[in-house]
Amino acid sequence: MGRVVVVAAVIGAATAVAVAAVVGRRCLRMWRRRAKALAIVKEVEEKCATPLGKLRQVADAMTVEMHAGLASEGGSKLKMLITYVDNLPTGDEEGLYYALDLGGTNFRALRVQLGGKEGGIVSQEFTEVPIPPTLMVGSSDGLFEYIASKLAKFVAEEGPDFQIPPGRQRELGFTFSFPVMQTSIDSGNLIKWTKGFSIDDTVGKDVVAELTKAIAKEGLDMRVTALVNDTVGTLAGGRYTDKDVIAAVILGTGTNAAYVERAQAIPKWHGVLPKSGEMVINMEWGNFRSSHLPLTEFDQALDFESLNPGEQVFEKIISGMYLGEILRRVLCKMAEDASFFGDTVPPKLKVPFTLRTPDMSKMHHDKSADLSVVANKLKAIYEIEDSSLESRKVVIELCNIIATRGARLAAAGILGILKKLGKDTINDGEGQRIVIAMDGGLYEHYDAYSKCLEDTITDLVGEDVSQHIVIQHSMDGSGIGAALLAASHSQYLES
């Protein structure tokens, strides 16, 4: 009997040892996975680091590129396009003005009644119209005649709140969000179509002339007085309500900046200097590139696999189109190399652009005790059923790393503009107010991003200067902004 007990004890001990060994191996494997995952996070954090010294280098590089782009065409990665906008709205504008916003699969027509200094924007109305897919790949006449017919219908619905003085043409600001070589305030030749449009016979033509021809065919008495992009429109909308606005920045799906430059500081300008002495410059700053930009292997892979490798590098690390995709790439590597979401990699995690920046923002702002928003997003998007609380905390940490880098680099870009204009310091003890008009879904809806951007500007310029800098949300530059530019460049301005 005693021998049986001893044998049983030995077997029990051996089993316990075996179980302990299995548990130990499992724990070791889990520890190694966790260590590998955290090593990836640490490397991303280090590569994305944006200490103030680096941000100042980025700002200085931006200023240098601005000078080069103003000196000659093709002299810089920044196009520094002359917009021919030399009269920004003052707030005195009166009358009825239209805007047409063409930048995607829909277009908008908008009208505003302006009441001068006292009245401001008295009334506004808009309509949004889908563009049939066949017209996006058809003929130039087909597209513009369709737009003109819908515009004429919208004009015909003008109510009593909208009045045009007798004997005057209606005037329209045309926001055309495709690459154009602008030749005057009301003309510009299409360089190429993007965003799913492919109409060969428009390329190289003046898009204002194409629209004007279609408007005339429709029997509509309307003149296009300004061809603009949405960033210039945002600048105009900001200046209309605040005379101290000097620049505009769009942070949305993409990113861009425009600012008011002294005409004499534009060496490549060979025309007669405008009476105002000013010219709005469309920087196209998404294409900025510098050796000082903190790039990771994930950014380099994203760029290499993109439709435009080597182009729009700044945009690819700060704008809404790409932030969520960078996060997805990091999570995918962690799943592959560190089994971060279990033994198998979630199949959908391998699919590019499945993690949108709005979803990243919601996870980043998750304040619940169990981080349920993160859990629900991982489940809904990638079918990850049982993420641990620890893994959810890591996801939020990555959101913070990627968004912080983007916001701080955007702030460095703004500092570059301030440096170019000599407004990064206070001169002669004067504290002039400096306003930057901002728009775009990323800035408007990603609170952690916009707060970080504003805090970083304060850190970069110091408390004394930052007291005079105002970051101001200016909405609907592509609509109201374009209508305001039609007003400030009206053919009836003198009268």
Side-chain angles (χ1 to χ4, degrees), residues 16-30:
V17 169
V19 170
V22 170
V23 171
R25 283 197 297 273
R26 187 176 297 161
C27 288
L28 181 61
R29 190 165 66 247
M30 288 176 65

Side-chain angles (χ1 to χ4, degrees), residues 194-252:
T194 55
K195 307 174 191 178
F197 284 79
S198 181
I199 306 171
D200 291 342
D201 65 336
T202 318
V203 177
K205 288 184 178 176
D206 179 359
V207 292
V208 172
E210 292 294 289
L211 178 60
T212 300
K213 181 173 68 174
I215 286 172
K217 189 172 181 180
E218 199 62 41
L220 185 59
D221 189 20
M222 178 178 277
R223 174 175 170 168
V224 181
T225 57
L227 174 66
V228 300
N229 77 357
D230 55 353
T231 317
V232 176
T234 299
L235 180 56
R239 178 66 74 90
Y240 180 73
T241 55
D242 192 326
K243 65 180 176 53
D244 293 326
V245 168
I246 61 159
V249 175
I250 300 277
L251 285 163

Side-chain angles (χ1 to χ4, degrees), residues 17-290:
V17 169
V19 170
V22 170
V23 171
R25 283 197 297 273
R26 187 176 297 161
C27 288
L28 181 61
R29 190 165 66 247
M30 288 176 65
W31 182 86
R32 283 176 175 162
R33 286 178 177 179
R34 183 175 181 275
K36 178 67 174 172
L38 294 179
I40 293 171
V41 174
K42 188 171 188 298
E43 185 180 3
V44 171
E45 185 176 30
E46 289 172 354
K47 290 286 179 67
C48 286
T50 50
L52 291 180
K54 181 175 278 290
L55 292 179
R56 291 194 176 98
Q57 289 175 320
V58 170
D60 288 341
M62 180 73 80
T63 305
V64 168
E65 290 296 313
M66 290 172 73
H67 278 284
L70 290 173
S72 62
E73 294 297 345
S76 164
K77 275 285 187 183
L78 297 179
K79 289 190 171 65
M80 302 299 285
L81 300 173
I82 295 169
T83 65
Y84 298 88
V85 172
D86 55 2
N87 286 310
L88 283 166
T90 61
D92 294 327
E93 292 78 12
E94 293 183 294
L96 171 62
Y97 296 93
Y98 278 78
L100 178 66
D101 176 15
L102 176 61
T105 53
N106 296 339
F107 74 87
R108 284 190 308 152
L110 178 139
R111 56 176 156 250
V112 296
Q113 186 76 37
L114 303 177
K117 190 66 81 179
E118 301 301 320
I121 297 173
V122 179
S123 302
Q124 59 176 293
E125 288 179 344
F126 79 92
T127 184
E128 190 160 342
V129 183
I131 298 172
T134 52
L135 292 180
M136 294 171 65
V137 294
S139 68
S140 191
D141 286 347
L143 175 67
F144 285 102
E145 285 173 11
Y146 175 78
I147 291 170
S149 69
K150 299 299 182 183
L151 179 60
K153 182 173 180 288
F154 182 60
V155 171
E157 295 164 355
E158 242 173 47
D161 290 342
F162 299 92
Q163 299 291 329
I164 188 161
R168 287 195 174 186
Q169 274 185 306
R170 287 173 179 80
E171 294 181 302
L172 175 137
F174 184 17
T175 300
F176 186 75
S177 299
F178 300 91
V180 295
M181 179 55 69
Q182 198 147 350
T183 49
S184 71
I185 184 61
D186 58 0
S187 62
N189 299 329
L190 177 67
I191 296 170
K192 65 176 179 180
W193 287 106
T194 55
K195 307 174 191 178
F197 284 79
S198 181
I199 306 171
D200 291 342
D201 65 336
T202 318
V203 177
K205 288 184 178 176
D206 179 359
V207 292
V208 172
E210 292 294 289
L211 178 60
T212 300
K213 181 173 68 174
I215 286 172
K217 189 172 181 180
E218 199 62 41
L220 185 59
D221 189 20
M222 178 178 277
R223 174 175 170 168
V224 181
T225 57
L227 174 66
V228 300
N229 77 357
D230 55 353
T231 317
V232 176
T234 299
L235 180 56
R239 178 66 74 90
Y240 180 73
T241 55
D242 192 326
K243 65 180 176 53
D244 293 326
V245 168
I246 61 159
V249 175
I250 300 277
L251 285 163
T253 304
T255 183
N256 193 14
Y259 74 103
V260 184
E261 182 60 273
R262 291 180 302 110
Q264 288 181 321
I266 310 172
K268 68 181 179 182
W269 172 259
H270 300 302
V272 177
L273 290 177
K275 289 180 183 176
S276 67
E278 295 181 336
M279 180 65 69
V280 174
I281 298 295
N282 168 18
M283 291 176 63
E284 292 293 338
W285 87 349
N287 205 40
F288 171 66
R289 185 166 195 166
S290 164

Side-chain angles (χ1 to χ4, degrees), residues 340-357:
F340 188 62
F341 294 116
D343 292 331
T344 58
V345 179
K348 291 184 179 178
L349 190 57
K350 296 180 180 180
V351 182
F353 292 98
T354 45
L355 184 52
R356 298 164 55 250
T357 300

Side-chain angles (χ1 to χ4, degrees), residues 268-347:
K268 68 181 179 182
W269 172 259
H270 300 302
V272 177
L273 290 177
K275 289 180 183 176
S276 67
E278 295 181 336
M279 180 65 69
V280 174
I281 298 295
N282 168 18
M283 291 176 63
E284 292 293 338
W285 87 349
N287 205 40
F288 171 66
R289 185 166 195 166
S290 164
S291 60
H292 299 298
L293 291 177
L295 300 177
T296 68
E297 63 179 272
F298 306 101
D299 305 305
Q300 288 159 349
L302 186 157
D303 179 49
F304 180 75
E305 295 166 23
S306 70
L307 295 173
N308 54 347
E311 302 293 316
Q312 301 297 111
V313 172
F314 195 51
E315 181 169 86
K316 287 171 183 169
I317 54 177
I318 74 168
S319 79
M321 177 83 179
Y322 301 100
L323 297 183
E325 171 61 6
I326 297 165
L327 175 61
R328 181 200 67 81
R329 286 172 179 264
V330 178
L331 293 175
C332 190
K333 182 178 175 66
M334 291 170 68
E336 289 172 343
D337 293 4
S339 303
F340 188 62
F341 294 116
D343 292 331
T344 58
V345 179

